[in-house]
Amino acid sequence: MKKKKRKNRPGLSIFSILPLYLFTIVFVAFPLIYLFVLSFLTRAETWGVVNQLTLKNYLGILDPIYLNTFIESFKLAILTTGLVILVGYPYGYFMAKLNSDWRRRMMLLLMIPFWISSLMRLFGWVTMFRANGVLDKFLMMLGIIDEPLKLLYTYPAVVVGMVYALTPFMIFSVYSSAEKLDWSMVEAARDLGATRWKAFVTVTLKLTLPGLLSGVVLTFIPSMGLFYIAELLGGNKVVLVGNVIQEQLMKSHNWPFAAALSVVLMALTSFVIFLYRKITKVKDLEGLV
Amino acid sequence: MDNNLILKLEGIEKSFGEEKVLKGIDLSVAHGEFITLLGPSGCGKTTTLRIIAGLETPDRGRVLLEGRDVTDEEPNTRNVNTVFQNYALFPHMNVEANVGYSLRIKRVPKKEIVKRVEEALELVRLTGFEKRMPNELSGGQRQRVAIARSVINQPKVLLLDEPLGALDLQLRREMQTELKRLQTHLGITFIYITHDQEEALNMSDRIAVMRDGVFEQLGSPSDVYDRPRTSYIATFVGSANIIKGKVVKQTEDSVFFSCCNGTGIAALSGVTLSEESEVTVALRREHLSLHKEKPENAHGFWTVIKEKRFSGGILQILLSYGDDLELISSKQGLDSDMTVGDNVFVTWNPENAVPVDLDGDQ
């Protein structure tokens, strides 16, 4: 039914969609092409690039150090996405089951942190995890631990930060598809002999899969590229592709190499999403991708 | 009776928040019976059905299925299936998968599922639609899929929540016949919800007329139609005329009453009414006879013809009497020679006049 709607929408002439095309060309297509071209150019001695085509940038990525960074980032992205599903799916699902008053409250609870700069929120985690920080003091006060945990600048701290930053996106997309769910179908499944769990798996989960998948896309892609979380909460212990790109661009001023890394990262994420869609056979990711 | 009893509701009560939706429902259903819960929306009929299905738990009372108390049992453990008002077909499954759902849940062998799905689709005349998705079906076809899906597991009781509500008139008539055929063929007990009195009268063995969370009358279609217990039922089922009068005298089998400019007579036995007390009588439209002259010794009263309407081969005559009181007379067939403005004398057979609201119910 959705597909039918998309066809032949009346009133959308070429002129009315022109601004949209222009916007896309200027702000999406052009930068992407520029990035792609940049990745084949040569770095200048001091600043900028020279117009000399080369494959050196891509060959440089094959260096074990960078390959390893890709693998580590990939692992972290998968771990993050998995945890985000575990936290975000139930939240979105139960929020859709609440009455409208409670929905609004839960939604507000999600929105409030967004009013604060994401960097500030991250510093909140820094104070939390720091040796003798809020968490340590709290746990020591309760007598659960005797010594500070020193969680800051560890892998788990980065994971927590990532999950924290990305869960809202999962919640929103799961909620949006769970909200549209006709609960009488779940009742029908129960009526036809399905246990709560069976009804959930065969009906609810299947029908909210588009939301879950778009949530996965919204989580997985950023978690490959987010650099400031790894930097602030992981120190130099956790280095991700995003960190390398940022470093190459801002510190080493090696733009072509940073561009090449970005292109590979993009290709990799696109491939993962492509695979994911193939496996799950869900074509419609709620309008995403 | 007891051996044949399949479902029993005992004093079912249910509130949603402050609102008391069911105020004590008692019902005994025999095996193979077709029972209709008839009532306007909001009378509690869907809640009753959901309690039988196990989708709702009553605050008080018990649900017995074949003598077993299932009040607190989950819906999946009851051998009762429901045809939902909106059909609730699974949009991500084709017809075959929808119909076979309950068998797959029960892990019936694949071969048998295929066979039984085929039979079920044959039963509802949808052979050849196996691979269609629900959104590729018409309303009537979806309805049939929903029925096939809920009878495939051979439930003891099939609950149908306004299953024909979304269909157009002609399809509704066809499906009424079809459903009745299916019910006789399968021998399953049907509990059917509708707000359409014609549907109820056509299909049911017994009708429970519901109002504000109680059964106002429970009986066969002819009971409910010919001997309505209250004026509400008389007007809701077959829209009867209601006239009010004062008791003049009572004999063994009838009661005489005065009414505006005349007298009326109604069959009544077993109840004693005091003289001068108010009496309310239900009179079916088709039971009124109109006369230009007052017949001798006849009971009745004078009225004026206000309007004549022809609809669907039925002539309806609107009569007024007293202070803005109205009656409607209807008869099949040709126009009568009476015209608007004529004074006519209305009579009826005593056995067609039914005193209602005798126990003080509104």
Side-chain angles (χ1 to χ4, degrees):
Chain A
M1 267 164 69
K2 268 182 193 159
K3 271 174 199 155
K4 272 180 208 157
K5 259 192 219 160
R6 271 182 205 154
K7 264 190 239 163
N8 288 332
R9 243 184 258 177
L12 274 186
S13 70
I14 182 82
F15 295 105
S16 55
I17 45 177
L18 204 60
L20 191 66
Y21 274 130
L22 276 177
F23 185 90
T24 316
I25 289 166
V26 172
F27 292 105
V28 181
F30 181 72
L32 274 178
I33 292 165
Y34 180 67
L35 189 77
F36 191 69
V37 171
L38 195 62
S39 70
F40 289 100
L41 297 182
T42 310
R43 174 190 185 182
E45 288 276 321
T46 48
W47 175 261
V49 289
V50 287
N51 293 337
Q52 196 180 356
L53 292 177
T54 177
L55 282 174
K56 207 180 76 199
N57 301 315
Y58 285 97
L59 292 173
I61 295 174
L62 294 175
D63 186 311
I65 294 174
Y66 298 120
L67 274 186
N68 217 28
T69 316
F70 266 102
I71 291 167
E72 283 306 313
S73 302
F74 200 73
K75 277 190 200 158
L76 181 66
I78 287 175
L79 180 65
T80 304
T81 310
L83 290 173
V84 165
I85 291 173
L86 282 183
V87 180
Y89 188 91
Y91 194 111
Y93 169 85
F94 286 115
M95 192 159 76
K97 282 195 132 185
L98 294 172
N99 66 31
S100 59
D101 275 357
W102 275 103
R103 274 184 201 187
R104 224 171 302 129
R105 280 172 214 152
M106 297 283 276
M107 195 65 101
L108 197 67
L109 225 62
L110 276 179
M111 299 298 288
I112 289 171
F114 279 93
W115 299 345
I116 306 162
S117 143
S118 59
L119 220 53
M120 292 302 287
R121 279 183 279 146
L122 221 54
F123 275 115
W125 284 108
V126 173
T127 14
M128 182 79 112
F129 287 145
R130 205 170 39 204
N132 288 313
V134 178
L135 188 67
D136 281 348
K137 282 204 175 128
F138 183 67
L139 290 177
M140 284 196 284
M141 192 182 79
L142 289 180
I144 294 171
I145 51 167
D146 300 326
E147 275 173 48
L149 285 172
K150 291 179 185 160
L151 276 173
L152 192 60
Y153 306 135
T154 62
Y155 196 76
V158 177
V159 173
V160 169
M162 292 276 230
V163 171
Y164 167 77
L166 295 168
T167 301
F169 300 104
M170 176 62 77
I171 293 174
F172 286 132
S173 59
V174 168
Y175 169 74
S176 78
S177 72
E179 193 213 0
K180 279 180 247 152
L181 191 74
D182 179 356
W183 296 103
S184 73
M185 277 164 205
V186 183
E187 290 188 336
R190 299 274 285 129
D191 186 69
L192 290 165
T195 56
R196 272 172 211 279
W197 174 247
K198 256 279 155 82
F200 173 76
V201 173
T202 56
V203 179
T204 316
L205 188 61
K206 282 270 168 69
L207 291 175
T208 51
L209 206 55
L212 178 63
L213 290 189
S214 63
V216 166
V217 170
L218 283 174
T219 315
F220 187 79
I221 298 179
S223 63
M224 287 290 283
L226 281 179
F227 61 88
Y228 59 91
I229 293 178
E231 193 165 296
L232 276 173
L233 298 177
N236 51 10
K237 292 211 184 84
V238 184
V239 180
L240 304 175
V241 184
N243 299 87
V244 179
I245 295 173
Q246 190 244 1
E247 205 180 79
Q248 289 298 322
L249 189 72
M250 307 299 285
K251 290 183 187 144
S252 315
H253 300 298
N254 192 347
W255 297 0
F257 188 55
L261 283 167
S262 303
V263 169
V264 172
L265 181 62
M266 259 193 295
L268 201 68
T269 39
S270 310
F271 180 68
V272 170
I273 290 159
F274 169 79
L275 266 189
Y276 207 79
R277 287 176 64 172
K278 272 275 168 202
I279 294 164
T280 53
K281 282 182 189 157
V282 171
K283 289 273 154 58
D284 188 0
L285 294 190
E286 299 274 283
L288 268 167
V289 181
Chain B
M1 171 107 183
D2 280 302
N3 256 348
N4 210 11
L5 202 66
I6 193 149
L7 176 75
K8 197 164 186 217
L9 302 183
E10 291 177 352
I12 300 287
E13 285 177 32
K14 177 78 183 174
S15 302
F16 291 115
E18 294 287 288
E19 197 190 351
K20 199 156 188 187
V21 182
L22 297 179
K23 301 167 184 166
I25 296 288
D26 293 287
L27 180 67
S28 295
V29 185
H31 184 82
E33 227 183 340
F34 194 125
I35 294 226
T36 299
L37 306 186
L38 174 67
S41 52
C43 70
K45 51 193 196 310
T46 297
T47 307
T48 309
L49 208 70
R50 289 171 61 81
I51 284 173
I52 300 171
L55 297 169
E56 224 57 89
T57 320
D59 300 335
R60 223 170 266 164
R62 297 201 301 163
V63 181
L64 298 158
L65 197 61
E66 292 186 301
R68 190 166 57 99
D69 188 341
V70 295
T71 317
D72 296 317
E73 272 188 27
E74 300 271 305
N76 52 309
T77 57
R78 305 183 182 196
N79 204 351
V80 168
N81 286 133
T82 310
V83 176
F84 288 82
Q85 190 166 13
N86 62 355
Y87 316 142
L89 297 180
F90 305 127
H92 56 300
M93 298 181 196
N94 64 19
V95 169
E96 200 176 23
N98 261 289
V99 174
Y101 184 82
S102 62
L103 301 184
R104 283 204 309 283
I105 290 288
K106 274 171 73 181
R107 298 185 190 283
V108 172
K110 251 202 171 134
K111 263 190 185 166
E112 199 191 327
I113 295 182
V114 173
K115 203 184 107 226
R116 280 169 68 180
V117 166
E118 200 181 293
E119 283 168 4
L121 286 178
E122 204 174 315
L123 198 68
V124 296
R125 299 180 183 162
L126 269 184
T127 308
F129 285 76
E130 286 84 355
K131 302 294 174 209
R132 296 271 196 103
M133 296 304 280
N135 63 2
E136 298 168 332
L137 300 173
S138 72
Q141 289 165 343
R142 261 179 248 178
Q143 159 83 92
R144 285 155 196 264
V145 174
I147 292 170
R149 185 177 71 174
S150 28
V151 296
I152 198 168
N153 209 10
Q154 291 151 353
K156 298 273 185 249
V157 178
L158 186 67
L159 309 172
L160 302 102
D161 188 0
E162 303 217 19
L164 308 184
L167 306 180
D168 60 55
L169 190 66
Q170 194 178 346
L171 201 54
R172 213 152 66 206
R173 295 242 164 90
E174 270 174 44
M175 284 304 292
Q176 281 179 21
T177 329
E178 193 113 327
L179 275 175
K180 191 70 197 170
R181 174 186 69 85
L182 212 74
Q183 195 248 344
T184 325
H185 178 83
L186 295 168
I188 297 177
T189 307
F190 273 35
I191 297 183
Y192 189 96
I193 281 189
T194 185
H195 60 258
D196 181 340
Q197 45 100 5
E198 192 190 313
E199 216 166 271
L201 293 169
N202 281 350
M203 304 166 77
S204 332
D205 295 322
R206 279 196 296 160
I207 299 174
V209 185
M210 272 189 95
R211 187 193 186 191
D212 294 335
V214 290
F215 286 170
E216 195 146 304
Q217 185 168 4
L218 176 64
S220 69
S222 66
D223 269 346
V224 173
Y225 189 82
D226 294 332
R227 286 175 292 282
R229 214 170 59 78
T230 63
S231 51
Y232 170 76
I233 291 174
T235 46
F236 187 73
V237 182
S239 45
N241 293 300
I242 299 293
I243 50 178
K244 286 184 194 262
K246 277 210 167 84
V247 175
V248 175
K249 87 178 173 192
Q250 194 174 4
T251 62
E252 200 176 305
D253 59 354
S254 45
V255 58
F256 295 85
F257 57 92
S258 66
C259 169
C260 44
N261 53 33
T263 57
I265 180 169
L268 180 67
S269 59
V271 182
T272 316
L273 297 173
S274 56
E275 247 171 65
E276 285 292 298
S277 66
E278 287 259 354
V279 64
T280 310
V281 173
L283 266 171
R284 294 279 164 208
R285 295 172 173 188
E286 64 272 24
H287 291 148
L288 295 180
S289 312
L290 309 183
H291 314 269
K292 283 183 179 166
E293 309 278 330
K294 182 183 171 190
E296 253 178 76
N297 296 328
H299 292 280
F301 49 87
W302 285 100
T303 62
V304 182
I305 298 183
K306 274 183 78 180
E307 206 184 316
K308 280 165 74 175
R309 280 190 294 238
F310 240 123
S311 65
I314 289 169
L315 174 69
Q316 293 198 335
I317 300 177
L318 194 67
L319 306 154
S320 75
Y321 67 99
D323 300 320
D324 286 329
L325 294 169
E326 282 179 351
L327 283 181
I328 296 174
S329 147
S330 69
K331 74 175 202 182
Q332 206 105 30
L334 295 173
D335 199 356
S336 80
D337 55 352
M338 293 168 186
T339 52
V340 175
D342 281 0
N343 283 312
V344 290
F345 195 79
V346 177
T347 63
W348 58 86
N349 275 331
E351 64 264 29
N352 289 331
V354 186
V356 291
D357 304 339
L358 290 174
D359 45 16
D361 284 355
Q362 205 186 336

